[in-house]
Amino acid sequence: MNTWREIRGFPLAIRLLLVNQLGVNTGFYLLIPYLATHLGQDLGMSAAVVGIVLGVRNLSQQGLFLIGGSAADRLGARGVIIAGCALRTVGFALFALGDGLPVLLAASVLSGLAGALFNPAVRAYLAQEAGERKAEAFALFNVFATTGALIGPLLGSALLFVDFRVSALTAAGIFAVLTLAQALALPAREVTPTGGSVLADWREVLSHRAFLAFSLAMVGMFTMENQLYLLLPDGARRATGWDGAAGLVFLIGTVANLTLQLRVTRALKNRSSRARWIAAGLALMGLAFVPPMAVAGAGEPAGAAGAALGLLPVLAGALLLYVGVMVAQPFVMELIPAFGRSELTGTYFGIFYAVSGITAAVGNTVVGWAMDAGGRGGAAWLPWACCLALGLASAAGVAWLHRLRALPVPTEPATATA
């Protein structure tokens, strides 16, 4: 009830963006996790070609966040959000309608570009619209995003029994509805000129050493979050011998988000500084990998009771990881606009996601290498230890920046912008 009361207390624009994020994650996770299987098994493509298609999508998104952020600042976040959702509608539809490599590459580029446009734009719009309630707005944003990340794979699994093309068209349909809803209902905001060229804006943000250091420190958060889709599901499957156990990782996170996210953010918001809670959240995310690490390599479970006992440490780790995200993420999102001028909010979000996204890709590569090396060398604990070390290192980085007084204090205007 408190969650719904909080939602109703925000203006229409924020409520629409929350629903938008639910739809974005539902549509994304309904399609993308199953794309590699479709390309390899249904279309008979080699692993190398599958890697190219998936890599082009990821590169198009990670490499163009800066463009999306600058566009939000100069053209207005509303138009960029709508354009991004429209492009993803087309991109996902192409995955359903085309089997040739040129069409699939075009679909990958359009889908990635779409994310590069609306991801920083949505966060810039939300930050500007929420006023002094940024932390609560981003907490709710996290709730809706996590819920969509659970609904998407479940819906995708069901639709795969029909056909992958049905899944792709359903995902495209979701983004088409989001595009129309935002075109009709999302209010336009007045765009304040940045006072310089695009290159000047980029130089201003990239010359902010504390901001860049903070973005690099966040590599731990993004890498560890990604293990909700890689390492933890793999650990759940190995602990139980049941592929469906991976779904329990997402289920426990969604339930925890719905019941705890707002309470956690409210309880922490006025106690100590944001930076300390970000560091604490990152440390908790790192410690979340200790319970699964303790039972890694335990071998095949003996019966249902053994499977349940083997699964408990993995679920405990998943819950701790989600709680760590709940602690840190809203304050991270609240802090980013405070580094610079409000006219460059989109650019700050764009560069933040570009820097942290690229470095997180390196982190994921390290975790993947550790999984392979651990499997070959009988050291199943190795990838879990890597994530633990990464989480603690990121927490230490944020704590160090806080001690140097390099991190800003979010401003809190008297009233929220409607």
Side-chain angles (χ1 to χ4, degrees):
M1 290 298 293
N2 287 336
T3 299
W4 294 115
R5 190 178 304 115
E6 187 77 30
I7 292 171
R8 289 196 298 270
F10 280 106
L12 172 64
I14 290 183
R15 283 180 275 159
L16 181 59
L17 291 178
L18 295 177
V19 175
N20 175 74
Q21 192 59 27
L22 174 68
V24 164
N25 274 18
T26 299
F28 181 84
Y29 288 107
L30 137 68
L31 174 69
I32 294 301
Y34 309 104
L35 179 58
T37 301
H38 168 66
L39 297 175
Q41 295 183 5
D42 299 342
L43 301 184
M45 293 183 171
S46 67
V49 174
V50 172
I52 290 172
V53 173
L54 298 180
V56 164
R57 192 211 67 79
N58 190 60
L59 183 62
S60 298
Q61 180 161 321
Q62 301 292 347
L64 296 176
F65 273 131
L66 185 53
I67 303 297
S70 291
D73 289 334
R74 292 178 168 272
L75 305 177
R78 176 183 180 273
V80 177
I81 294 168
I82 295 170
C85 286
L87 280 177
R88 187 157 280 182
T89 301
V90 177
F92 280 5
L94 285 176
F95 279 126
L97 302 175
D99 294 342
L101 183 58
V103 175
L104 293 172
L105 288 175
S108 293
V109 170
L110 289 175
S111 301
L113 175 59
L117 289 176
F118 63 65
N119 275 336
V122 165
R123 287 157 179 80
Y125 195 117
L126 198 69
Q128 293 167 347
E129 195 79 10
E132 80 277 8
R133 300 172 67 194
K134 289 183 181 69
E136 290 87 346
F138 281 112
L140 287 171
F141 193 79
N142 190 29
V143 170
F144 277 76
T146 303
T147 304
L150 172 67
I151 296 173
L154 295 177
L155 183 56
S157 297
L159 291 174
L160 280 179
F161 285 107
V162 183
D163 186 60
F164 175 83
R165 289 174 173 79
V166 175
S167 297
L169 289 175
T170 301
I174 291 172
F175 277 97
V177 171
L178 293 176
T179 303
L180 182 62
Q182 289 164 119
L184 293 175
L186 190 63
R189 291 180 57 92
E190 182 179 351
V191 179
T192 304
T194 64
S197 66
V198 172
L199 290 179
D201 294 345
W202 293 355
R203 281 196 299 269
E204 179 177 336
V205 178
L206 290 171
S207 64
H208 199 314
R209 294 182 180 179
F211 170 70
L212 291 181
F214 179 73
S215 300
L216 289 171
M218 287 301 104
V219 62
M221 186 175 79
F222 285 93
T223 302
M224 290 185 290
E225 270 193 286
N226 285 340
Q227 303 321 306
L228 291 167
Y229 309 103
L230 177 62
L231 188 55
L232 282 163
D234 182 71
R237 285 188 291 266
R238 291 178 184 273
T240 62
W242 173 45
D243 288 343
L248 297 177
V249 170
F250 303 111
L251 179 61
I252 195 172
T254 302
V255 172
N257 255 275
L258 288 171
T259 56
L260 298 176
Q261 176 67 85
L262 266 178
R263 295 179 183 178
V264 168
T265 302
R266 282 174 170 170
L268 302 181
K269 181 179 179 181
N270 296 319
R271 298 178 183 179
S272 191
S273 67
R274 305 291 200 266
R276 287 180 178 173
W277 292 126
I278 293 171
L282 290 168
L284 186 58
M285 290 174 72
L287 293 172
F289 294 91
V290 172
M293 181 171 62
V295 297
E300 289 294 323
L309 288 174
L311 182 62
L312 284 178
V314 179
L315 293 183
L319 180 59
L320 284 175
L321 183 57
Y322 275 107
V323 172
V325 173
M326 289 183 225
V327 171
Q329 194 173 69
F331 298 131
V332 170
M333 296 295 104
E334 182 190 31
L335 199 61
I336 291 168
F339 276 101
R341 298 184 286 134
S342 61
E343 295 87 353
L344 295 180
T345 296
T347 304
Y348 272 94
F349 273 111
I351 290 180
F352 173 80
Y353 274 99
V355 171
S356 54
I358 292 170
T359 52
V362 176
N364 285 329
T365 301
V366 172
V367 173
W369 169 85
M371 292 175 70
D372 291 338
R376 290 192 303 267
W381 52 268
L382 185 59
W384 307 97
C386 285
C387 291
L388 168 62
L390 189 57
L392 296 181
S394 286
V398 173
W400 177 68
L401 289 172
H402 177 59
R403 284 197 298 272
L404 293 178
R405 300 185 183 276
L407 300 180
V409 177
T411 56
E412 298 194 352
T415 57
T417 303

